[in-house]
Amino acid sequence: MPDDKTDDPAFLYFPSNYRWSMGLLICLSAAPWTGVEIDEVNRVGRALADKLGDDTAWFEEWTRMGEKIEARGRDALRAGHKLTAASCFMRATRYYQTGERFIHPRSERSMDVYGRSVKLFKDAAAMIRRPRIEPVEVPYQNASLPALLVHPDRDVTGPRPAPAMIFFDGFDVTKELQYGYGIADLAARGVGCLIVDGPGNGESVRFRDLPLIAETEHYATSAYEYLAARDEFDPRRIGVMALSLGGYYAPRAAALEPRFACCVAWGAQWDYHEIWARRLEELDSGKVLSLSVPPEHLQWVLGVSDRAAALKKLEGFRLDGIVQKMACPFLLLHGAGDQQIPLELAEKLFEAAGSKQKALKVFSREEGGFHHCQVDNITIGVHYMFDWIADVLNAGQ
């Protein structure tokens, strides 16, 4: 597609629409790990070329492609070709969830498509031999949180208890989408990964009436204790990571749950109340912002009916006075050209973090990974993070 932003080397399929370009990249960037096919993505993009900004059309085109690939997978399964079926189901899941993310308010149809995508991912996981993916439930208060436990490669870890990372979502993604961000590569390094739909994310907000909360440490501790109780994992080598808004979740969790062995913030946060107060003011003035989902998503994930209530809840989403308590090794990744969260906030977070062992990696325009959470080059971010994690947690030793 033509790109009128000639100074930006990123693949911007819809150069005049940040959100649609970001959404397509989130889908496409999983190609190395979920088999997403550029031809299929391009067919959806071409069908949407004259419908720019129509989120209903976006949903229908991605759903149509998901149904096509799901049907292909079911044909393969009937023929006894389980690995082909699993590959198709994995791709279809991503297409379904790419389409569903922008729908507000959620419709019965969009919720049905989302539910089908979750079931389809589980069906794929049951047929994949490597890495082994185990759908699990993490006990949390009087309920539980749905999660995917991706087991480490035992050829690397040997019989000893292995290290693991707990991986929380961001503002608008899901455990299934996050699996596609290279988690198989983390498992290949000998590190397990518990990908959790925390409150406000994925199944937890859609099907379990668990809205987003500021107190990340509550569910992070539950996730830690779930993993630590399993014989396969070493309680002394369990870390926490999260992306995007997870740049608030993970540092807060690591600061207030001292048993975490390390922390990775894939993208920075500092004061989420301030971010949204400014965004809402700018939206009211008619400014077009670089947002990953429609602004209505904020009230929905917080479980409130108006902006004032949303801002009130966001008053707790501040890291100052908390992140100074972090003591474990800390890695912060940020894109120099992040259009959602400015680099200065990453620098503020890094400076405030109390960890003695800490590192800030800023990806430049020249090397790639320049945009929000390296969406323009996921691989460069994944490799940097996972090598750091493997070193810090002594994977394979």
Side-chain angles (χ1 to χ4, degrees), residues 33 181-182 185 189 266 378-387:
W33 305 285
Y181 281 163
D185 284 7
R189 287 165 168 78
W266 191 356
I378 289 291
T379 304
I380 197 172
V382 161
H383 288 172
Y384 195 98
M385 277 191 303
F386 293 173
D387 287 344

Side-chain angles (χ1 to χ4, degrees), residues 200-212:
N201 289 115
E203 288 185 81
S204 291
V205 70
R206 286 167 177 81
F207 302 139
R208 307 194 183 192
D209 196 26
L210 292 170
L212 188 63

Side-chain angles (χ1 to χ4, degrees), residues 215-331:
E215 299 80 11
T216 314
E217 67 278 7
H218 292 177
Y219 56 90
T221 291
S222 295
Y224 172 86
E225 291 178 345
Y226 171 82
L227 269 189
R230 293 191 58 137
D231 293 340
E232 310 103 295
F233 299 105
D234 182 349
R236 299 163 301 175
R237 293 191 291 163
I238 296 174
V240 62
M241 61 191 250
L243 84 166
S244 194
L245 179 54
Y248 167 81
Y249 305 154
R252 175 166 178 139
L256 300 179
E257 172 47 83
R259 290 176 291 181
F260 281 121
C262 69
C263 175
V264 177
W266 191 356
Q269 292 292 340
W270 182 247
D271 184 331
Y272 207 50
H273 177 276
E274 181 182 353
I275 289 287
W276 270 103
R278 184 178 69 252
R279 284 175 175 174
L280 293 174
E281 183 177 328
E282 290 175 337
L283 285 168
D284 287 343
S285 73
K287 186 174 182 180
V288 177
L289 302 183
S290 297
L291 300 178
S292 58
V293 286
E296 294 83 0
H297 192 88
L298 178 67
Q299 292 169 210
W300 180 64
V301 296
L302 289 169
V304 298
S305 59
D306 57 62
R307 287 181 173 185
L311 288 174
K312 183 66 177 175
K313 278 205 166 187
L314 288 181
E315 289 177 358
F317 286 73
R318 294 174 168 129
L319 286 173
D320 196 14
I322 294 175
V323 76
Q324 289 88 344
K325 300 174 184 177
M326 190 194 306
C328 65
F330 176 49
L331 172 64

Side-chain angles (χ1 to χ4, degrees), residues 23 68 72 91 112 120 177 209 217 223 243 328 339 351 366 378 382 394:
K68 176 180 177 180
R72 187 179 298 164
R91 297 208 314 283
D112 175 68
L120 208 57
L177 291 176
D209 196 26
E217 67 278 7
L243 84 166
C328 65
Q339 293 173 251
E351 180 63 27
E366 291 71 27
I378 289 291
V382 161
N394 296 314

Side-chain angles (χ1 to χ4, degrees), residues 136-153:
V136 299
E137 293 286 334
V138 175
Y140 170 65
Q141 297 181 352
N142 296 321
S144 66
L145 301 175
L148 299 169
L149 178 55
V150 183
H151 288 262
D153 189 330

